Every structure is written in C-alpha cells, then in structure tokens.
Amino acid sequence: MTTRYATVPPVRPEFEYDLSPLPPQAAQTPLPWQERLWQHAALRKLFILALLAGLWELAARYTDNDLLLPGAWQTAQAFVQGIANGELLARASQSLRVLVQGYLAGVALAFALTTLAVSTRFGRDLLSTLTAMFNPLPAIALLPLALLWFGLGEGSLVFVLIHSVLWALALNMYAGFLGVSETLRMAGRNYGLTGLRYVLQILVPAALPAILAGLKIGWAFAWRTLIAAELVFGASSGKGGLGWYIFQNRNELYTDRVFAGLAAVVVIGLLVENLAFDTLERLTVRRWGMQR
C-alpha cells in the first residue's frame, strides 16, 4: 500500500495585535534641564576640567608654598600674562612649526613603508624587522646622535619626531590593512585595481579606524617627544619652544610660569584631540557607520 504525503507545507495562522498608543503626557514630557545639559560631551568635559582645577587649587592652598606648587588661579594669571605679552604664543608657534614638519614626514614614511609591506613579501619582512628593532627604542635616546649628525638646529628635532611617529603609525596602519575583509579585496581586484590605486581606494578607506588610531598615537608620541627634546636640547638659533620656555623659567624659579607652560602643552593637546581628530572621525568613520 502506497502512502502519499502532502507536498504543500502547513500554513501557520497569523495574528495581529493592536497596540495602544502612548499617553500624550509621556510622549511630550521633556527631559529635565540637568539631563539635557549632561547630554553634551563638551559640558561633561568642562565639568571634569573644573573639578580637576578645584582639586589642584585645594592642594596648592594646603601646601601653602608658591615655589613648590602654585595654585590654579595663579597659574591661570601667568598663562594669560604669557599670552598677553606674546611670549607664550611665540614659544607655542615655534614648537608647533617643528612638530608639523616631523609629524608629516613621519606619516609619509609610514604610508610608504606599509604600502610596500602589503604589496611585496620583502616589504612585509622589512617592516616587521624594522619595527622590532626601532619601535622599543625611545626617540629621546636618539637626540645625542641627532645633534652629532644634524647639529644645533631644527633638523635634530625633526629627526627624533620622525622616529617617534613612524613606527607606531606603521604598525597600526599595517594591522588595519590586514584586517580588511577578503570581500573588499576581491572587489578591488575585480575592478582591476593594483598597486597604489588598490591601497588608496580599497585598503585605506576600509582600515581608516585603525589609521586614525595610529595618527592619534603618533601625535601624542611626537608632542611629548618634542617637549622633552626641547627641555634637554634647549633653543636653536636663539629660538626655543614650549620645552625651552618651561626649562628657562624653572631655572629662574618662576614656578607659576612653568605651570603655565605645562598648561599650554595640555591645552594644545586637548584642542588637537577634540577639534582635529574628533572632527575627522565624525566626518569619516562615524558617518560611514564604521565606528560607534
């Protein structure tokens, strides 16, 4: 006896539920003003800075020694005075000019090195060998050699800045290139992209979060390396940056100006982080949905 089975799958019954709308009061009730203000990241950061300044002022008043620890208000006065007389701005512009030169050169070299690494096996071995050799080496340790090779000038500072930026950025960039999905790689090959066009149009956009992280790390390394080098190296051709400003005022026992110079270093770091890098992230990786 032959048993026939139905070939039509069973159909499940569908149900539709009517949901009651939200009450008008719940839909139109605004948030309290405290919560609305707390939603702004800038206000939260300002609150943190104000809290740190308050703790600093309390510690200074407890110490009661302006030579050892000037207060936040006294440092702010020295900071405003340094900006008013133009000395602090001149020192900061000198440091930033040297920093931009070394930073851009380091970025260009890192891009060239990682492009060679993702293109050839020799480039991959070269990148891994050089990063293993030079990445653990502190940039400030190369300053004596830089002074011998390039003399008492900006060339020495640019050299150590390139070293501080190059290896950290190259490692992040190469790790980002390795993390690009095979689907995007195959799409690039199907379009006939090779060499530099393949790197610029496929690898760089896909690895942009890792590249931006490397740019941030390289900036932080370069900035603190420059200040440390200026503290040790001093002024070139009678012109010194923020590091020299801090060192000179420390020798003259103007501790409030020392803290004003340190505050300038911190303020520049905050401005670059929140204005430059955050804006770049917002216009690229966050807008493209690659980062939360």
Side-chain angles (χ1 to χ4, degrees), residues 25 33 55 59 68 106 145 156 161 169 194 198 200 224 234 247-249 255:
Q25 298 82 4
W33 64 271
L55 294 175
L68 294 179
L145 290 178
S156 302
L161 288 178
L169 179 57
T194 57
Y198 173 74
L200 292 176
R224 65 189 185 190
F247 180 76
Q248 186 180 25
N249 285 285
T255 314

Side-chain angles (χ1 to χ4, degrees), residues 12-256:
R12 295 182 179 180
E14 297 183 358
F15 298 94
E16 183 178 353
Y17 297 98
D18 293 330
L19 299 178
S20 58
L22 291 174
Q25 298 82 4
Q28 299 178 0
T29 302
L31 292 174
W33 64 271
Q34 300 93 336
E35 295 186 14
R36 293 200 304 269
L37 288 178
W38 196 251
Q39 298 298 323
H40 297 279
L43 292 178
R44 295 196 302 268
K45 293 179 180 180
L46 287 176
F47 173 76
I48 294 174
L49 292 176
L51 180 61
L52 293 176
L55 294 175
W56 176 9
E57 186 67 29
L58 290 176
R61 292 180 182 274
Y62 177 78
T63 305
D64 196 20
N65 191 336
D66 295 342
L67 185 61
L68 294 179
L69 183 62
W73 177 248
Q74 185 178 357
T75 301
Q77 289 178 328
F79 184 83
V80 172
Q81 183 181 2
I83 293 179
N85 58 28
E87 183 179 7
L88 197 57
L89 291 177
R91 303 292 187 180
S93 62
Q94 174 70 16
S95 294
L96 288 175
R97 186 172 61 83
V98 177
L99 177 68
V100 169
Q101 296 178 18
Y103 186 75
L104 293 180
V107 170
L109 290 175
F111 179 77
L113 196 57
T114 50
T115 301
L116 182 63
V118 297
S119 302
T120 63
R121 182 176 299 177
F122 172 76
R124 183 167 60 250
D125 296 337
L126 178 65
L127 177 62
S128 62
T129 303
L130 292 180
T131 52
M133 290 172 56
F134 296 114
N135 193 37
L137 185 63
I140 198 66
L142 296 177
L143 187 58
L145 290 178
L147 294 176
L148 289 175
W149 293 342
F150 302 101
L152 298 174
E154 294 180 358
S156 302
L157 298 177
V158 172
F159 176 78
V160 296
L161 288 178
I162 291 175
H163 175 80
S164 63
V165 174
L166 174 58
W167 312 115
L169 179 57
L171 284 175
N172 273 72
M173 193 178 295
Y174 185 64
F177 287 167
L178 293 181
V180 177
S181 65
E182 192 62 29
T183 303
L184 291 175
R185 296 175 182 271
M186 293 176 62
R189 298 190 191 100
N190 290 336
Y191 278 103
L193 299 177
T194 57
L196 187 60
R197 292 180 60 201
Y198 173 74
V199 174
L200 292 176
Q201 299 183 26
I202 299 296
L203 296 183
V204 170
L208 196 55
I211 296 174
L212 287 177
L215 290 173
K216 285 184 178 181
I217 296 173
W219 149 258
F221 284 177
W223 187 225
R224 65 189 185 190
T225 298
L226 176 62
I227 300 302
E230 287 179 343
L231 283 169
V232 177
F233 170 55
S236 61
S237 302
K239 298 179 181 180
L242 281 174
W244 176 249
Y245 177 84
I246 295 170
F247 180 76
Q248 186 180 25
N249 285 285
R250 195 271 300 176
N251 289 336
E252 298 175 0
L253 298 180
Y254 292 125
T255 314
D256 54 345

